[in-house]
């Protein structure tokens, strides 16, 4: 399909949306030549610091439709990326009294169900006492899946590395020095993964579009799918993202140690403070995700850190919802996500470039919605 040196598809960004787009394109269009580029190393972005929890749900009808479609697409991607559904946990919810119906309206699938007395007793044993503060009730939902995000991304990118490790990917310099051939392998189309290719500009050209890196490196592609995550507010994507009202928001997840150990520990969702606790393995560790109040934060990992307000909020929520659970705070993950005013993902052609589609704005649900976001972006490029 591809001319000499020109890819059929270039994917900018190797987070979960970009990696899923690579996987879907490879499965559905095995003759297409594909390249994915990232500004740093593959695992430098926010995806690998996410907790990758999937409870199919959405605030809006559009989000719920994307969540439902993503469930279907995970089955299609399972053979390529089994890590997308790596582990299943029972899920319990603390909701405001009488508020279960509101949560039910957001779920894709079965509604919340009352907890049985033995289930409440198990939760009390795990957390050392009552679960839920005054004016709340405890419910259970369908099981939740969660994944190891770095492993999922690596598996989704395997079509670009001939089944080898992501660490074997090219750099911008080695790509420039590499002879251009009809395919990456003798028996197939060219497939490449290029690290250290920070895209400065995307320009139309005779072959389609030219991607120009900060260091002057270039490559061409007939179609471009840009999945830069929170970095959409910089570089060639900024004008479109800002025009549509996109903003960054910090994501904070503490690592805790405490409570009863064991593999039976469930995922616990605290609905009203918009937080959750996810067990890590079979020991006593947890990931504890809270909703930070820091908007318009920088997307770079080196410029993000938890602050005293984050810690105070985290402790206050635990004190109210799990008063006898007093874990040790032993670490923290931070990242940035992109939000649109209506919380819907942004899947749209870049201003003035119809063959370049921007797919970002997971609004804290990027891992959950990535399959449907990637499919929608590929469809706009004629690769459905």
């Amino acid at each position: 399909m591809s001319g000499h040196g020109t890819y059929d598809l270039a994917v900018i960004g190797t987070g979960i949306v970009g990696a899923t787009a690579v996987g879907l394109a490879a499965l559905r269009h095995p003759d297409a030549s594909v390249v994915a580029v990232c500004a740093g190393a593959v695992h430098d972005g926010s995806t690998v610091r996410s907790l990758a929890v999937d409870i199919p749900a959405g605030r809006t009808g559009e989000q719920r439709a994307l969540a439902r479609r993503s469930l279907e697409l995970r089955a299609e991607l399972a053979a390529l990326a089994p890590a997308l559904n790596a582990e299943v946990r029972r899920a319990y919810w603390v909701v405001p009294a009488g508020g279960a119906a509101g949560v039910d309206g957001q779920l894709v699938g079965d509604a919340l169900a009352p907890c049985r007395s033995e289930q409440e007793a198990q939760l009390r044993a795990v957390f050392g006492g009552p679960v839920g503060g005054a004016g709340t009730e405890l419910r259970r939902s369908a099981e939740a899946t969660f994944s190891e995000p770095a492993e999922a991304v690596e598996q989704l990118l395997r079509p670009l590395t001939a089944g080898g490790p992501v660490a074997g990917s090219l750099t911008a310099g080695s790509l420039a020095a590499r002879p251009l051939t009809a395919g990456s392998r003798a028996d197939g189309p060219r497939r490449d993964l290029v690290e250290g290719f920070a895209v400065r500009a995307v320009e139309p050209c005779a072959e389609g579009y030219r991607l120009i890196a900060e260091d002057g490196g270039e490559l061409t592609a007939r179609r471009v799918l840009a999945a830069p995550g929170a970095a959409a507010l910089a570089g060639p994507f900024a004008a479109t993202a800002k025009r549509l009202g996109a903003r960054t928001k910090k994501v904070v997840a503490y690592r805790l140690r405490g409570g009863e150990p064991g593999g039976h520990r469930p995922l616990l969702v605290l609905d009203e403070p918009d937080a959750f606790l996810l067990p890590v393995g079979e020991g006593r560790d947890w990931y504890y995700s809270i909703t930070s109040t820091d908007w318009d934060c920088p997307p770079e990992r080196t410029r993000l850190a938890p602050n005293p307000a984050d810690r105070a909020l985290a402790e206050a929520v635990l004190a109210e919802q799990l008063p006898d659970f007093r874990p040790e705070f032993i670490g923290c993950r931070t990242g940035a996500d992109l939000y649109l005013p209506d919380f819907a993902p942004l899947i749209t052609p870049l201003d003035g470039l119809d063959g370049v589609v921007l797919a970002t704005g997971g609004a804290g649900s990027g891992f959950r919605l990535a399959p449907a976001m990637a499919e929608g972006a590929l469809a706009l490029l004629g690769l459905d």
Side-chain angles (χ1 to χ4, degrees), residues 316-335:
V317 168
L318 287 181
E320 179 181 11
Q321 302 290 336
L322 299 167
D324 295 322
F325 182 57
R326 299 184 178 88
E328 178 186 2
F329 284 68
I330 61 173
C332 188
R333 293 184 180 188
T334 56

Side-chain angles (χ1 to χ4, degrees), residues 18 81 125 191 213 252 264 277 352:
R191 302 272 176 83
V252 179
H264 63 282
L277 288 102

